Amino acid sequence: MREYLFMALVAAAVTYLLVPLVRRFAIRIGAMPEVRDRDVHTVPTPRLGGLAMYGGLVAGLLAAKQLDKTGEVLAQDRTVIALIAAGGLITLTGFLDDWWGMDPFIKLGGQIGAAGVLVYFGLYLPWVPWVNGETISLPPDLSTLITILVVVVAINAVNFVDGLDGLAAGIVGIAAAATWVYAIFLDQNIEQNRINTTAAITAILIGMCLGFLPHNFHPAKIFMGDTGAMLLGLVLASSLVTVTPVDSEVIEGMNRFGALMPILLPAAVMVLPLIDLISAVIRRTSMGLSPFAPDRGHLHHRLLDIGHSHRRTVLIMYAWTSVFALGLVGMSVSGVPVVYFPIVIVLALAVLVLFSLPRWRGRGGAHAAKRKDTPDDDDDGPPTGPMPPIRTEFQQVHPAKEDASVIPAFPARS
């Protein structure tokens, strides 16, 4: 456990310390575009935070390789070089997109290339788990195709959910923590050991997110951009790829969730953005617009519009992800029957709906909706009500004369 803590701290410290340098670099090269109408932030903010995250990833991997137990496990395969090479390619792709802008198909090519690098170095799905503990073996070509598809979907899911300060880093960190807990219990159950590749990857991923969040939580000093969002998706997908090739027949004391967890855990990250994506397509096409036309109808926009502050909106999504991901892990390791899985989904959705409702406050014995011009205690934006009158220079010098309509009379020149 101490080794996992050490590599997480290394990744967090390096990421945290690199962010100010990356921020200055982003400002110098102009990687801070103007605010668009659909953006939540109100001032231009530098991107490229993913460069610091990549530095944390490399540092965490190199530190893990030097440790006694974790280094021995990582030496059995080429995980370290695979993540450094694939992470470098996806970081370069995101950097060019954040700086210059990139055609979507070229960016997709970079994502497929990074996933292909993982497959080349041995991080692929030889089979996929199925219901009732069964597995489906994959031929090499199909294994490569499915692995690339899983990685690309995870990359774009994280990229899509990156719409508020601290949202993507927090959700990925929670999903990584759930995957780490699952990997520890799984390895302990199979080999009476708690050191494995998946746990090492997720520990480093948690450190990357924690090191970046202090700079990115609202009000954000820097955005991760596509550089960071795609990197987080790649690393999270690689952790799920490494945990999947486990023979479900040797899992004792765990229910069939043990075989399905690699499929279910990505839902903790993907369900929110995918629901948002589907609703956006329906909304835009029903209005006669292109499905790709930008708007302010996303889930986080609606949460903001009904009165939640920026931070509370992010915390609502944190709560949903925590209930879903940690609930699945808890059910898996405690032997809860699979039929209770729908209950976890309903509970997670109930948490999301509950926190999405407008806040009500009792006034004079009655409940009335809170006025928008009354800021929350934690509301970080300016009030939307009428602005107070601005005093003229004369009124500031002569506070007794508050009536702005009275123009002072000055003696005429002789």
Side-chain angles (χ1 to χ4, degrees), residues 10 51 103 176 180 234-235 240-241 256 326 349 353 371 394 411:
V10 169
L51 295 178
D103 183 85
W180 181 86
L234 176 80
V235 179
L240 300 173
V241 168
R256 298 305 182 185
L326 297 178
L349 291 175
V353 172
R371 292 178 55 189
F394 177 81

Side-chain angles (χ1 to χ4, degrees), residues 80 85 130 147 378 385 394:
V80 173
W130 197 243
T147 302
D378 63 341
F394 177 81

Side-chain angles (χ1 to χ4, degrees), residues 175-186:
T179 308
W180 181 86
V181 172
Y182 170 71
I184 293 295
F185 275 97
L186 187 63

Side-chain angles (χ1 to χ4, degrees), residues 7 9 26 29 71 88 115 144 177-178 191 201 256 267 283 327 375 378 391 404 412:
M7 65 182 75
L9 289 176
I29 67 174
T144 299
E191 299 181 359
I201 295 174
R256 298 305 182 185
R283 179 178 64 252
D378 63 341
R391 292 184 175 184

Side-chain angles (χ1 to χ4, degrees), residues 331-398:
M331 293 172 67
S332 178
V333 301
S334 60
V336 176
V338 179
V339 295
Y340 289 100
F341 169 64
I343 298 178
V344 176
I345 298 179
V346 173
L347 180 60
L349 291 175
V351 170
L352 181 63
V353 172
L354 178 64
F355 284 100
S356 300
L357 295 175
R359 298 183 303 278
W360 299 84
R361 173 178 296 181
R363 291 184 179 178
H367 290 78
K370 189 173 183 179
R371 292 178 55 189
K372 283 188 176 181
D373 58 349
T374 306
D376 275 341
D377 293 337
D378 63 341
D379 195 352
D380 307 290
T384 58
M387 295 295 293
I390 302 176
R391 292 184 175 184
T392 64
E393 181 180 357
F394 177 81
Q395 289 173 320
Q396 293 173 355
V397 177
H398 303 278

Side-chain angles (χ1 to χ4, degrees), residues 47 168 173 196 204 252 329 386:
R47 298 180 179 179
N196 57 76
I204 295 171
E252 299 177 358
V329 172

